[in-house]
Amino acid sequence: TPQQGAAAALLAPAVALAAERQAELALAYLRLTLHLDPKLDEAWLLVGDQLNAGKDRAAARAAYARVRPSSDEYATAQARLAFTYEQEGNRAEALRLTEAAARAAPEDRTVQLAYADV
């Protein structure tokens, strides 16, 4: 749809802003992106990353949780969700989540490394 196309077009500048450590602007673009297409899992993953970098772990967890289980990004979102728990010292929850992500995506090297790290 035109809305999905506009959302996809806004994702590139959001990524560029995030790479330049312009978190507030990146989040503004990401929120507009998600307003246009709330099912854009890549955007939810980036929102989680930006919020976690800003130490807002609860909001980051909520963003990572919005990634749909049918998405290619799901296992990555679960691994990043686990890291938010590990950062707060809750290793048991981090291990549970990374183990589940590793089982869900046995071919995903990033997820397997996250599991090994925890």
Side-chain angles (χ1 to χ4, degrees):
T1 68
Q3 281 185 302
Q4 290 170 321
L10 287 172
L11 192 58
V15 170
L17 288 165
E20 292 180 15
R21 305 215 188 282
Q22 298 292 323
E24 289 180 24
L25 287 172
L27 281 170
Y29 271 83
L30 289 166
R31 293 199 190 284
L32 182 55
T33 297
L34 289 167
H35 178 74
L36 294 168
D37 185 1
K39 293 182 180 180
L40 191 58
D41 293 319
E42 295 87 353
W44 283 116
L45 200 58
L46 287 168
V47 167
D49 292 347
Q50 293 302 301
L51 293 169
N52 191 42
K55 310 258 188 270
D56 189 349
R57 300 231 173 20
R61 287 180 189 136
Y64 291 138
R66 295 290 304 261
V67 176
R68 295 167 295 145
S70 61
S71 171
D72 291 339
E73 306 295 332
Y74 182 72
T76 301
Q78 291 299 296
R80 291 182 186 173
L81 175 63
F83 280 127
T84 67
Y85 286 101
E86 186 177 34
Q87 290 166 330
E88 291 183 341
N90 189 345
R91 298 196 98 181
E93 183 64 10
L95 183 59
R96 185 186 73 73
L97 287 166
T98 54
E99 184 177 16
R103 271 184 285 164
E107 73 291 339
D108 188 327
R109 184 175 167 98
T110 302
V111 172
Q112 298 302 317
L113 287 172
Y115 180 39
D117 284 346
V118 173

